[in-house]
Structures are given as structure tokens and as C-alpha cells.
Amino acid sequence: MASYIWLFPLLFIFHDFEEIIGMRLWVARNGAYLSRRFPRFAFIFKIPNTEGFAIAVAEELILILIISILALTNNRTAQLLWIGAFIGFTAHLVVHIAQTIIIRKYIPALATSFAILPLCIWITITCIQSTEYSLIEILAYSLIAIITIGANLLLAHWIARKYGKWVDDKLKKC
């Protein structure tokens, strides 16, 4: 498992670079359509700016790095948390593919989701098979990680809006 631990932050940032690079323009072009089609989720389509989005990604990357470093200590709980978080990340890739199907439009994140999903599935299966952890433990930690990721996503969006507004305010004064 130790040989796969550092792949998590690398795969995460590779995937999120696609989102950082393309999301603002994509939302500018598609936000109104998405807000009309999915009014309950309109708040998601309000990306403040690239800087705000990037700071949210940086916050998520820091958490992934902490989890990865802890997993390297061979601590049972930390390794289960890593596996759970990695499974959550893999599920996140599937969600992007589903989003594309549901909205019937390309989204920034689709290309890297398709590119790295097979590797993520393989790493997940390999880690599950090569550890002494039970399937119940892995599923429990995956559930904990997915709930934590969801809660952190709300925090990351809040940080993105605050930081994005701060950057915009600073730029107005220039």
C-alpha cells in the first residue's frame, strides 16, 4: 500500500488542474442554463473566480497530504482513512461522469476523470486485497471519508467565495 500513497495527491491535483483551468469559463457559458435546469443546485454554479476556486483546491490538497503522510506511518486508523478517502476520490470521479450524462454537456473534470478512473479502481482493488483490513472496516472508513469530504466541500466552497471576493475587491482598488 505504501507505494500507492503518494499517487493520491498526484492524481488529485492532476484532476483538479483541469477543473481550475476550465471551470470559470465553463460556468460563465453554462451557469444560466444549469441554474434554470437545476434550480435547487444554482448555488454550486456560482464560482467566484479562478483564484477562489484554486484556494479551495489547495485546502483540499492539504488535507489529502496530511492523510497521506499519516498513512505512511503504518498506523492502522490512518491507513484505513487513506483507503476510505481514496475510495471517496474515486467515487468523485464517477460523479463527474454522471454529471456529464445528466446535464448532457462536457464539464471540466471529465477528461481527467476518464483518464485516471481505471487506475484509481485498480489501486483501490489492489489496496483492499493486499491489506489485512476487513471489508466492513474499509466500508465504514469509506463512509466516514465520504461524509467528511462532503462537509469539507461546503467549507471549501465557502473559502472560495470569501477569498474570491477578497481578490476581486483588491483588484478593484488597483
Side-chain angles (χ1 to χ4, degrees), residues 160-173:
R161 282 191 303 277
K162 291 292 184 185
Y163 184 73
K165 183 179 178 333
W166 181 82
V167 168
D168 286 344
D169 290 345
K170 292 292 179 189
L171 288 173
K172 287 176 187 173
K173 293 179 183 178

Side-chain angles (χ1 to χ4, degrees), residues 2-153:
S3 59
Y4 303 116
I5 288 174
W6 287 118
L7 285 175
F8 187 8
L10 292 173
L11 292 170
F12 171 82
I13 202 63
F14 175 67
H15 169 70
D16 274 48
F17 274 158
E18 181 185 8
E19 291 183 279
I20 290 168
I21 292 165
M23 192 59 72
R24 187 170 183 202
L25 178 60
W26 186 85
V27 169
R29 288 184 176 162
N30 297 288
Y33 160 77
L34 294 170
S35 292
R36 281 192 311 276
R37 186 145 181 237
F38 307 100
R40 293 176 126 179
F41 301 102
F43 70 97
I44 294 172
F45 311 122
K46 294 179 179 161
I47 304 296
N49 54 32
T50 301
E51 295 85 358
F53 193 73
I55 198 81
V57 169
E59 182 269 344
E60 292 172 328
L61 178 61
I62 289 167
L63 291 177
I64 289 170
L65 288 168
I66 291 168
I67 290 168
S68 297
I69 290 167
L70 291 173
L72 284 171
T73 66
N74 290 324
N75 176 286
R76 180 180 182 82
T77 302
Q79 286 188 343
L80 279 164
L81 184 58
W82 184 92
I83 292 171
F86 193 80
I87 290 170
F89 173 69
T90 303
H92 166 83
L93 301 175
V94 173
V95 167
H96 281 313
I97 294 168
Q99 286 172 327
T100 300
I101 293 166
I102 291 167
I103 66 171
R104 296 182 204 109
K105 287 181 178 255
Y106 167 83
I107 61 168
L110 183 64
T112 54
S113 292
F114 272 120
I116 66 176
L117 183 60
L119 177 60
C120 289
I121 292 170
W122 181 78
I123 289 171
T124 300
I125 291 169
T126 302
C127 286
I128 290 170
Q129 291 175 343
S130 67
T131 63
E132 72 278 3
Y133 309 128
S134 72
L135 188 57
I136 297 295
E137 287 176 303
I138 291 170
L139 290 174
Y141 275 85
S142 296
L143 182 61
I144 290 166
I146 289 169
I147 290 168
T148 304
I149 289 167
N152 186 66
L153 195 57

